[in-house]
Amino acid sequence: MHPHLKVLLELQAVDLRLNEIRERLSRFPKRLAEVEMRATTARQQVASAKDGLKTSLTDRKKFELDVEQWKERAKKYRDQSYEVKTNEAYKALQHEIQNAEQEMGKAEDRLLERMVAGEDYERQVKVAEAALKEIEATSGAERRAIQGEYNAAQKELAAAEAARAQAVAAVPEDLVEHYERIAKRHNGISLAEVRGESCGQCGVHIRPHVLQQLQRPTNEEIFHCETCTRILYFADHSVAAAQASETAAASAAETPAAPAHES
Ligand SMILES: [Zn+2]
């Protein structure tokens, strides 16, 4: 195995881990906002139930006044009816009394409706307040849990960044740049394990002489997949040694392979 490949593999692992941690960290603002949103919605429900209750109490006072006014009017007409001189005037007042009593009845109906609605709003306020209290109690704990996870993720990030710096320091700078160029093109995966006789990432067949070279314990060359340009490696040298004899025999029968492709 190429002496730097082992470090590049470590770099690859730590980079994938960094991606995962950063992705996790990026979700925290949304998670906190969701907790906040639940409390906001509950507070809005309390406010809207209280508004309903307030309106119904205002209406109730207004209808109470209506009932009183129509009652007084009916009384006034009744008092006047005792003093009128003509039958016609008496009839007219009787009509007014009847009308006032009808209006009073209607106002009483409206008042009763408002009283029932008021009780309903009182219940709604109680339910909404209880829900808010519960949400505020749990959202505090949720926020603390999310904050705890966030702090832990920040620590993981710092540790992974330190591990990356260590790996980067162990290989030549141009090789790190080369690795990063390939990683950028391939979603962070710039190394490909050889599986069977193919690239483990894109599946393309690898030329026998490349396999042969790669499997040499003394190999100090970097080989790339000809198709996806990723850096090739063998995960297990014991397997590689077993395959070496097979490919050596196979390559003897084939035309000479093209040189390894450098990206
Ligand atoms: Zn490939």
Side-chain angles (χ1 to χ4, degrees):
M1 195 184 225
H2 186 281
H4 291 137
L5 259 182
K6 194 175 168 292
V7 186
L8 285 184
L9 278 166
E10 282 166 20
L11 188 59
Q12 172 93 82
V14 82
D15 276 347
L16 291 176
R17 183 156 170 69
L18 276 167
N19 284 347
E20 184 273 320
I21 297 167
R22 290 196 179 110
E23 203 270 326
R24 203 162 7 115
L25 280 167
S26 73
R27 286 199 303 265
F28 280 95
K30 191 167 171 268
R31 288 178 64 192
L32 279 172
E34 277 166 0
V35 173
E36 213 48 61
M37 182 51 85
R38 273 203 297 278
T40 305
T41 306
R43 274 192 286 273
Q44 280 167 347
Q45 267 159 358
V46 170
S48 119
K50 279 185 174 171
D51 274 352
L53 180 60
K54 198 178 154 196
T55 308
S56 104
L57 286 175
T58 311
D59 286 351
R60 190 172 152 175
K61 275 183 194 140
K62 183 176 168 286
F63 296 145
E64 272 170 356
L65 210 65
D66 281 354
V67 171
E68 278 312 304
Q69 277 174 345
W70 285 114
K71 198 175 170 182
E72 272 171 36
R73 230 175 271 183
K75 185 180 176 292
K76 191 184 81 185
Y77 293 139
R78 206 171 285 117
D79 290 347
Q80 283 175 8
S81 72
Y82 298 135
E83 291 157 19
V84 290
K85 309 280 185 274
T86 67
N87 203 29
E88 249 173 43
Y90 180 78
K91 265 188 181 167
L93 279 170
Q94 284 300 313
H95 179 74
E96 290 297 339
I97 293 165
Q98 204 179 10
N99 179 54
E101 279 173 346
Q102 266 175 7
E103 289 300 329
M104 190 178 86
K106 282 184 205 165
E108 276 174 343
D109 287 346
R110 285 199 295 269
L111 176 61
L112 192 68
E113 260 175 46
R114 288 294 94 189
M115 283 163 83
V116 172
E119 282 168 15
D120 201 37
Y121 280 120
E122 269 170 25
R123 267 195 300 276
Q124 282 181 31
V125 169
K126 271 183 198 156
V127 169
E129 277 177 342
L132 174 62
K133 204 175 161 188
E134 200 184 315
I135 282 168
E136 277 177 341
T138 56
S139 68
E142 276 178 272
R143 263 196 298 272
R144 281 191 294 279
I146 292 170
Q147 191 60 51
E149 278 181 52
Y150 179 82
N151 295 344
Q154 284 287 4
K155 269 185 199 161
E156 282 179 56
L157 181 70
E161 276 171 346
R164 186 181 205 277
Q166 211 173 7
V168 163
V171 280
E173 205 176 317
D174 58 347
L175 185 56
V176 173
E177 280 169 16
H178 180 62
Y179 158 90
E180 282 172 348
R181 266 200 304 277
I182 302 171
K184 201 173 274 180
R185 280 204 300 272
H186 294 296
N187 212 19
I189 313 280
S190 70
L191 276 80
E193 186 192 331
V194 178
R195 288 191 191 134
E197 292 180 359
S198 304
C199 167
Q201 289 293 324
C202 75
V204 89
H205 195 260
I206 297 161
R207 289 174 189 273
H209 91 101
V210 173
L211 284 174
Q212 226 178 317
Q213 287 278 96
L214 266 175
Q215 285 156 169
R216 281 201 190 117
T218 53
N219 173 49
E220 292 208 350
E221 223 181 308
I222 295 276
F223 289 96
H224 297 80
C225 168
E226 286 183 37
T227 303
C228 72
T229 75
R230 289 186 178 95
I231 299 164
L232 295 168
Y233 71 96
F234 268 100
D236 187 343
H237 252 281
S238 60
V239 176
Q243 282 176 338
S245 53
E246 284 173 37
T247 48
S251 68
E254 280 182 30
T255 50
H261 171 80
E262 288 271 348
S263 77

